[in-house]
Amino acid sequence: MAEHESGAAAPARLWGGRFAGGTDALVERLNRSLDFDARLWRHDIQGSIAHATMLGEQGIIPPKDAERIVQGLREIQEGLADGSLVLEQAAEDVHTAIESLLRQRIGTAAGRLHTARSRNDQVATDTRLYLREAIDSVSAGLRRFQETLVHLAEQELDAATVLPGCTHLQHAQPVLLAHHLLAYFWMFQRDRERLAEVRARVNVLPLGAGALAGTSFSISRERVAGLLGFDGVAENSLDAVADRDFAVEFLAAASLVMVHCSRMAEELILWSTPEFAFIELDDSVTTGSSIMPQKKNPDVAELARGKAGRVFGHLLALLTVLKGLPLAYNKDMQEDKEPLFDAADTLEAVLPALERTLATARFRRERMAASLRRDFSTATDLADHLVRQGMPFREAHHVVGRIVRDCLERGLGLEDLDRESLVRFAPEFATLEFGTADAWASVSSRRVRGGTAPEAVAAQLARARALLNSRDS
Amino acid sequence: MAEHESGAAAPARLWGGRFAGGTDALVERLNRSLDFDARLWRHDIQGSIAHATMLGEQGIIPPKDAERIVQGLREIQEGLADGSLVLEQAAEDVHTAIESLLRQRIGTAAGRLHTARSRNDQVATDTRLYLREAIDSVSAGLRRFQETLVHLAEQELDAATVLPGCTHLQHAQPVLLAHHLLAYFWMFQRDRERLAEVRARVNVLPLGAGALAGTSFSISRERVAGLLGFDGVAENSLDAVADRDFAVEFLAAASLVMVHCSRMAEELILWSTPEFAFIELDDSVTTGSSIMPQKKNPDVAELARGKAGRVFGHLLALLTVLKGLPLAYNKDMQEDKEPLFDAADTLEAVLPALERTLATARFRRERMAASLRRDFSTATDLADHLVRQGMPFREAHHVVGRIVRDCLERGLGLEDLDRESLVRFAPEFATLEFGTADAWASVSSRRVRGGTAPEAVAAQLARARALLNSRDS
Amino acid sequence: MAEHESGAAAPARLWGGRFAGGTDALVERLNRSLDFDARLWRHDIQGSIAHATMLGEQGIIPPKDAERIVQGLREIQEGLADGSLVLEQAAEDVHTAIESLLRQRIGTAAGRLHTARSRNDQVATDTRLYLREAIDSVSAGLRRFQETLVHLAEQELDAATVLPGCTHLQHAQPVLLAHHLLAYFWMFQRDRERLAEVRARVNVLPLGAGALAGTSFSISRERVAGLLGFDGVAENSLDAVADRDFAVEFLAAASLVMVHCSRMAEELILWSTPEFAFIELDDSVTTGSSIMPQKKNPDVAELARGKAGRVFGHLLALLTVLKGLPLAYNKDMQEDKEPLFDAADTLEAVLPALERTLATARFRRERMAASLRRDFSTATDLADHLVRQGMPFREAHHVVGRIVRDCLERGLGLEDLDRESLVRFAPEFATLEFGTADAWASVSSRRVRGGTAPEAVAAQLARARALLNSRDS
Amino acid sequence: MAEHESGAAAPARLWGGRFAGGTDALVERLNRSLDFDARLWRHDIQGSIAHATMLGEQGIIPPKDAERIVQGLREIQEGLADGSLVLEQAAEDVHTAIESLLRQRIGTAAGRLHTARSRNDQVATDTRLYLREAIDSVSAGLRRFQETLVHLAEQELDAATVLPGCTHLQHAQPVLLAHHLLAYFWMFQRDRERLAEVRARVNVLPLGAGALAGTSFSISRERVAGLLGFDGVAENSLDAVADRDFAVEFLAAASLVMVHCSRMAEELILWSTPEFAFIELDDSVTTGSSIMPQKKNPDVAELARGKAGRVFGHLLALLTVLKGLPLAYNKDMQEDKEPLFDAADTLEAVLPALERTLATARFRRERMAASLRRDFSTATDLADHLVRQGMPFREAHHVVGRIVRDCLERGLGLEDLDRESLVRFAPEFATLEFGTADAWASVSSRRVRGGTAPEAVAAQLARARALLNSRDS
């Protein structure tokens, strides 16, 4: 029987009886996943404790051995947490490394842990446990960002800050800064909704699928699910080990978070140019130049914008990996982890840094106001006046277009025109109230739900706050 | 006033009063979207009818004019549907083309339609109406495919068809073909769930956001939402016109559908090689060669596999377009439509063709059975026997590994070994029941929920049928 | 023999003898490529003429028949060109459609054309002929754009236009506008180099590879290559029909062209905001709004920026299609054409429109100059002065950093400081020449090769012109 | 002056005089690049030595100081190489960390090193030095793989190994295994050509561009280029610091290498299934299962296939990062390094492992031969016979298609038919030589250049060998 023990001498792999020769070093290096899956050690132990507990309860392994396994795993968990233990770097993967530590600690009973399971269902379980945590962490970061947005919007609504609303980056119509900030609230709200939906599909237990076909041992998957906090169990063992949809889903949701961050980042970058100067970023969130002593660069915003690329790349990478794979598990799927980890890390780093950047920025309200002067952004209001006097909108649009052209040729703004000048273009202007071409009047008039008028924005803020205060949020 | 009418002479654009010169032909060509957005004509008219109805009801435009507009649009709808009308090819976009037809039909009252709206909120509305339909169509296609899978699984469960289940495309453990087919059922089930969730976020009305800031007219967004069947209204006008998250979400969901189709396609391609020969595809779903008279090619499966690439490409294209765009609408966003249309078209073409390919295939059960002979795919069952006799799994794995190696060296399969041969490797084999190394015994033993045993698969089938019969499905 | 003629009755496909049943309509629709490959008709005929000519010369088919085929193909070419002929819409692909037209015209001799060739090598040939043309067209477009850049740079060098050079979109150091424009010259130069290299790999003849294994007929591939202007022949028949590297390469080169266009586009968009106002775009390259009468939008630039996404998407789509395909031809590869066509079309539309946008823009030199005031962009020059006086650069950087901070606190610019103020920070400023902090002095001092000083830019312009005038360009 | 020294106390950043407050920890973490750019330390020192040498020679810094800098950098290089020195982990980036080490060693003279340069041109130089090396390493790996392919092809040509050549993964025509293997030779040859072209564009010196505008010091860029082995200098300083085209180009070339590896990998995976069994992989390149004792998995091939996804992802990520960036340097561009490093690492790991997998595989020639029996893959040869007798190919194709159908219905192969049976389908078969439907006869007949006949393959091998032996290769 000594021969069976030979496994103990080479704990770096969990297989080998069938193999005549050793593994090529080049191949071992390519194959080894410990470099990146080591970070799943907590989840791996958590899953193994639940599995061993159930195996003992079901009498599949001797209850005494189950206890020793659970106790051993708990000690390993503590040891890894406090640094008194380390994973063996030569091990093939995190599962092997932990089983090896367990064997060193409790001997051959460790060999019973892998009863009725395979690395295929084990790694799927670990990854889902990890991702559940990552989603919760990202969602919490989004929520904090939303709170900051609500806070800033309240402040700027009180301050009645108006800036040029843009389409095509050209001045379109004046809007409240509070309204502008809240646009990002809703983007992040959708992000949180999506993540919650992904989480529901992540939170399904694959364990019990075995290698691919289920197991002949009378395990209780429901018990393991209960111990690990999963909402349900995977209904098909082949699918359970072949499925990485949840990882793609997360990467897609993460990509949209990065789209939103990159859009805000672009605006922060634009607004902190000397030409716009709508905001001044705090020294604490900017950096300087090694050569130009005057530089103060919006690095956080630039990185938030740039890092969108890496998350999109991860999404594409995983889709490409999965495309055309036959059932069930294929080694290609080992490529799921690095994109997942890096995307979650990226979000967890970008969200608070960008939030801090916005929260500490000084809004230069006087510059925003100055930018609205003679910018023609109230032209629509003049056209709307004509419509109220009965002119079809198309005509009104045309009339005001001609007024604008006339002003441009004469170097004037709309605010420079008096009623007589306007009446020359259309008699309907005779009834124009003073100040229609004024930015504040324009903003105040857009009282429709979702519009930029102060009372509409106040109502929007109330809805936003209600969402943040709701139980599910 | 004649001058105002000049718009009528150049109906190809809805703006221009402000412009001194005409548009460069190169630019007009690049800018024009009619070539692809023409297919939104039904949705554009549908949205305009609702908008005009509401404008009339609210007294924003004369009720008589509202009636004429609605009537005119209905006639245009009929005319376009029956081909008696065509969109003017010189028009800038579908909105312009339809307003132009309306003007030809009812005169200047047509100019009142665009009151309190912009193309920015209009096109977002049209796109959402289109996508809602596309999602429903794709979901229905998925549901039909699931029914086919359930039907085939029932048939093959009755036939007790067993094939080698694979991991790494190597024989792993025998599985029921019914079980294998049902793996795809669950993939498509997740696809339908995702699409339902996307649909909820699609089905929100942007109209009323105007160009970006809302409108000063006292419109009723809720009324328009009700007329168009939207579940709610967008809460922020800037976000309403700048948001294309829903399109990205659909493309991400569509990409996963294509991942699933491509995985099935790969299997169909493999299984119809002469070497596997697990299935024979029907002549009606294959094609021949222009040079090799014997060829019968699995084109549908190959295209299903290949077309995954185009859908992934569309997803990445749109993410790239949106990255870093400042608020609110930017012309870049016009690039959302072609990927959306092509992805939906691709799914609508691939799903039924692939379903047909599977449904008409002949399963060659005898070849599957033959492939299981001497393939060692019941080795795990031997190890599990040892575990039941008290041996730790790690040891059992090692013992059976050595048995396999021994067999390979001697040119035998596991089924060629008698009890005595096995006992030489481990005395625990003395209690081995006859046939443990038999594929059917192996399959039958995996009775765990989600496993491949006939009763487990029957339970799985029942759950699948229940899902198909549920009201929401 | 009548039976053999049955092919004539169903010209929509080139195969079928082996098939018992017809093709499912769903499948036929998915499979058909005529909708997009029809645009290869000229190249298909061109290739067939060369092939038939060679078959006749080699005596593989009767010379008389070769003549009739060539003559027939020439007539079809004319007919399709002048619209008197059309491709049969029911045909499977362009090859089938053209062979069918030929059969209608010259009868059964048409059946000899496909001797010693397959659609696999035929379509590869057609695609390469198409791409060769597309590359030449894109390269010519790039060259014209370079000429415009050189022309504008000459003009702005003469005008001595200076603007703030930016890093991180913050003012960094003043640069000549001519220098800034020439940066794009070099990007396009690299684009043309890349395209020339791709072209060399495109311009290799696959014909003669047959379906995959070559042919037993004594064809002359060199003769066909000569007739079609190919530089060489593919050396391995399996590779010849399985290779789409050249298409990926083109899409990668096209993606970089779009990166460059999108970068210029971003700058044009920024520069035409009211806040920057460094340029004014011509009316002819902008568009208006359906609702806001004052709007003048930089649509071309936005589309140039946005359309980068679609080209990246095509690149990724094709890479995904090819990944993991076994040899030789697979139907998945039919997915190569649409991305290729659309990418080429996009470049051919974007390049001239963007060039026109730049060429017709009015540079607002006074705004650029104004933007340099009190912007600290000459801070490096002050530090460099200290270095010339012997201070290590790190110290000098630190001293000037403190000067900048001091100015900011006091609301001053560097140009507001006199020598005494500076000397208080470092005695080395006693030797400072008047005007070191002046933008023009700064620009003029950077005389290093590739730098922004007028004489350096003049030298750069000379190199650029030389490249445009070189024979290969 | 003590204050100037304060920089020495905080060596973790090269700027700061202008800043009132410190940097937020969140921001510092996001911003820091040392974690990944540390691996550029050799290239950074190499570049700095060349720069300092030139500064001394030009008299821009005191020659004595230049010598001390160069000497100091050499010692740091040795220290880092032998582990006696480490980079300060708190430093912002590798440039800062090395300058800090230098300052510790030689004092304030270290502060002269950064004269006339910026991190913008420095990092571009470092990255190009790194990439030049990486390209050479990858190219050498490709070359070794080509040698292996040539060696195996020679061996299998000698052994006259024939296997079914496939299109659509269906048997198409028999081919020599040597021919099949050489298909990959040409793919790798194109890869090497592309890499050589990329290398030429990488090998251009950006240093001297300064931050973006060049420098006012009288540096010699040509001297630095000479010292570092660059072929030329960047002609425009803005472009020099803003350009990352070369990195995209490398990622595109790397993606194609991975396409080729993934295609070969797919074939190795297929061929080592029990159903194909065309090859047996060596134990040393395969791995086992933690649960299934019999498993022997083709992990290297699966990882080679899967890792294509990650490289495509990196390509897309960088394209996305660059899209729409204004000139010149933006912080987003810091995202270039990780994709570049990981892509190069991936290629350097995959190429030798895959080569080893192929080189150690046992080709099971008897299985290949068996697979050709009754597979109809010589049907084209029968049709070609009819053509030689004067029948148009289209007719011949149809006749043989009917023969195949007849055989299928009767359960026969083409080799089971005698001349009389064939003559019943077409009298032209009367002259058919015995063995036309034989695989070897079929292979031998395809003597066209690039075809699969032994003499054609021998000629192909000679060309391949010549390429490997050519000086440039």
Side-chain angles (χ1 to χ4, degrees), chain A residues 173 380 383 393 397, chain B residues 114 116-119 210-211, chain C residues 289-293:
Chain A
Q173 293 172 353
T380 315
F393 179 76
H397 182 286
Chain B
H114 211 55
R117 111 183 150 174
S118 159
R119 282 184 297 187
Chain C
S289 157
S290 71
I291 174 169
M292 296 169 290

Side-chain angles (χ1 to χ4, degrees), chain B residues 20 24 305 307 332 335 356, chain C residues 24 283 305 332 335 356:
Chain B
D24 187 282
R305 185 176 60 183
K307 283 177 187 292
D332 316 54
E335 292 288 308
R356 184 72 51 98
Chain C
D24 187 283
D283 279 12
R305 186 176 60 182
D332 317 53
E335 292 288 308
R356 184 73 51 97

Side-chain angles (χ1 to χ4, degrees), chain D residues 204-219:
Chain D
V204 173
L205 179 75
L207 214 63
L212 77 161
T215 178
S216 60
F217 293 98
S218 57
I219 61 171

Side-chain angles (χ1 to χ4, degrees), chain C residues 104-254:
Chain C
Q104 288 162 27
R105 188 161 291 258
I106 68 166
T108 53
R112 298 198 191 277
L113 170 59
H114 211 58
T115 307
R117 106 180 155 178
S118 159
R119 281 184 298 187
N120 295 349
D121 53 348
Q122 185 181 0
V123 72
T125 304
D126 292 3
T127 307
R128 286 168 181 263
L129 287 169
Y130 160 80
L131 188 52
R132 198 172 67 182
E133 260 182 38
I135 286 173
D136 291 343
S137 167
V138 169
S139 290
L142 286 164
R143 199 184 184 292
R144 281 189 298 269
F145 210 144
Q146 287 180 299
E147 281 166 0
T148 293
L149 286 163
V150 162
H151 173 73
L152 292 173
E154 282 166 347
Q155 167 192 303
E156 298 304 320
L157 180 59
D158 285 351
T161 315
V162 180
L163 83 165
C166 286
T167 60
H168 305 258
L169 211 56
Q170 293 291 320
H171 291 197
Q173 294 173 352
V175 295
L176 286 182
L177 176 56
H179 190 52
H180 192 107
L181 291 167
L182 285 175
Y184 289 99
F185 176 92
W186 300 105
M187 297 184 210
F188 290 148
Q189 184 64 21
R190 287 192 297 273
D191 287 328
R192 287 206 295 137
E193 283 174 24
R194 270 187 289 270
L195 286 171
E197 292 163 1
V198 176
R199 192 190 196 282
R201 271 183 295 277
V202 167
N203 208 28
V204 173
L205 179 75
L207 214 63
L212 76 160
T215 178
S216 61
F217 293 98
S218 56
I219 62 172
S220 168
R221 299 182 66 199
E222 289 75 8
R223 174 65 172 142
V224 174
L227 286 168
L228 294 173
F230 282 107
D231 295 329
V233 303
E235 295 290 4
N236 181 297
S237 61
L238 289 160
D239 180 45
V241 298
D243 172 30
R244 290 298 183 272
D245 290 0
F246 61 92
V248 172
E249 279 195 71
F250 173 73
L251 292 171

Side-chain angles (χ1 to χ4, degrees), chain B residues 363-384:
Chain B
F363 294 110
R364 300 187 59 181
R365 296 159 190 160
E366 78 293 358
R367 292 281 312 193
M368 296 181 189
S371 189
L372 284 161
R373 278 201 287 279
R374 294 190 177 160
D375 78 339
F376 299 100
S377 64
T378 54
T380 316
D381 301 277
L382 289 183
D384 286 352

